[in-house]
Amino acid sequence: MKYPFLDLEKVNRPYMDLLHQAALDVISSGRYIGGGQVEEFEQMLRQMHSVDHAVGVSNGLDALRLILRAYIINGDLKPGDQVIVPANTYIATILAITDASLVPVLADVDLRTMNLSAATIEQVLNPRVKAIMLVHLYGRVAWDEDIRQIISTNGLIAIEDCAQAIGGRSAVEGLHGAHHAGALGHAGALSFYPTKNVGALGDAGAVLTHDARLAKTIRALANYGSDIRYHNIYQGFNCRLDPIQAAFLKVKLPFADRENADRHQRAMAYSHTISHPDIVTPVMSQTLVDNVWHQYVIRITNRDRDYFRRQLLENGVGTDVHYPVPPHMQPCYKIRLSNHIPLPNTERLSAEVVSLPISTGTTVAQAVEISNIINTL
Ligand SMILES: *Cc1c(COP(=O)(O)O)cnc(C)c1O
């Protein structure tokens, strides 16, 4: 295929020598769980995000699960409490909520940003809501003055799912004065799944928080519930970050801003070149970093989305769909999540969206070529 959707080997090629060295360092260190690699990576995360606490964990879903379970252990949330979450998200966000015996309250999204807005949050706000899960979907930071106001006024716990938004910043400062996604609310979850903007060579994730007590509970919970060796205060899990992944991530994290800027260039190329009456391109950013373009998502209106994708494929262009079936329509949730308001925008998006190649494996010139192909369809 001339324009593959994502070629991870190509994305990692600039780092190959450093990744080889990082692997050798870990192999010859004899330290395969915890230790300096993990601690140094956590330090880099704290510095980058201006947060006091960062805990490396096994993956993004576990980061979200640990945050919610720790809030319950600490008494800040209790089972049955409601958590507002955008219906247009990857299912992992909602799996974490139900895993913690909390109740997801699905809110629709704004059709333009494809994320939560103050208006869609207010549609579902009620006294039983104790927390909100902000998902910066597709890399677009979902934070503004109005959302911040709703959180403060209602005393909500604000958790960010930053799996798609590492390096993103909001012009409006967060609850603790930080601007980075993951540091805007009370706690944030990062994913380093290989396809994310900063990808490990396997599963990896992290929790960021300003809350010392939460960080302490999460650290113990992720390590069999043990605070000190052979002393278990919680019925915990094994959700640790592997040192070999931490070593790989130490290589790649310093380049997060550069990788995101490269994605921004591709997004600009698409937005400037695509001019097709049946295609809606994503709203462009106010600042360079309020969207880190995890995906470049267009909407196909007035024609069959799958036919459009097939036509692109015939022209050598790989695409993807994020996501074809929203979580509330998945078999595992059809019945349990049936108690929600209508979600017209989420359901419309699931039928219309197409993600174009946006990684650094695609050049800016190729993004222009792909746009020109699109304009002929
Ligand atoms: C990838 C992703 C997750 C889960 O992260 P993993 O590391 O794959 O477990 C959660 N939420 C969103 C929005 C994601 O894109």
Side-chain angles (χ1 to χ4, degrees), residues 59-61 90 92-93 135 161 163-164 191 193 196:
N59 57 62
L61 172 58
Y90 181 55
T93 322
V135 184
D161 179 343
Q164 303 191 359
S191 166
Y193 183 79
K196 305 289 159 113

Side-chain angles (χ1 to χ4, degrees), residues 181-364:
L184 298 168
H186 298 101
L190 295 172
S191 166
F192 304 105
Y193 183 79
T195 64
K196 305 289 159 113
N197 288 28
V198 175
L201 310 189
D203 279 309
V207 173
L208 307 174
T209 182
H210 302 280
D211 180 339
R213 190 158 157 255
L214 188 79
K216 198 167 171 220
T217 305
I218 287 172
R219 218 176 260 292
L221 211 48
N223 189 35
Y224 317 112
S226 168
D227 56 347
I228 40 179
R229 199 154 183 240
Y230 301 132
H231 186 257
N232 299 76
I233 47 176
Y234 314 122
Q235 295 172 25
F237 314 99
N238 178 346
C239 295
R240 297 175 300 230
L241 171 64
D242 285 332
I244 194 153
Q245 298 303 340
F248 292 142
L249 289 166
K250 274 170 54 193
V251 168
K252 294 184 71 179
L253 192 66
F255 297 97
D257 282 348
R258 212 182 75 186
E259 289 276 338
N260 289 341
D262 284 347
R263 285 173 179 267
H264 186 85
Q265 284 191 322
R266 285 145 185 79
M268 298 280 277
Y270 282 129
S271 290
H272 287 149
T273 321
I274 295 174
S275 60
H276 188 296
D278 295 335
I279 290 176
V280 182
T281 56
V283 262
M284 289 313 283
S285 325
Q286 302 304 305
T287 67
L288 242 175
V289 286
D290 64 2
N291 189 339
V292 296
W293 300 101
H294 177 59
Q295 300 297 351
Y296 184 89
V297 178
I298 58 174
R299 286 167 45 211
I300 317 300
T301 58
N302 301 320
R303 59 163 75 193
D304 186 78
R305 186 251 315 266
D306 297 327
Y307 178 65
F308 175 84
R309 288 187 70 203
R310 271 201 303 280
Q311 283 182 304
L312 274 179
L313 194 60
E314 280 163 18
N315 283 276
V317 182
T319 60
D320 207 339
V321 172
H322 302 94
Y323 297 93
V325 181
H328 69 279
M329 296 170 84
Q330 293 288 353
C332 69
Y333 279 138
K334 248 185 202 149
I335 298 163
R336 288 189 61 199
L337 297 186
S338 58
N339 245 341
H340 53 71
I341 59 158
L343 302 164
N345 290 348
T346 297
E347 289 176 16
R348 179 168 170 185
L349 288 171
S350 70
E352 292 185 350
V353 292
V354 171
S355 303
L356 300 178
I358 188 75
S359 81
T360 47
T362 302
T363 65
V364 176

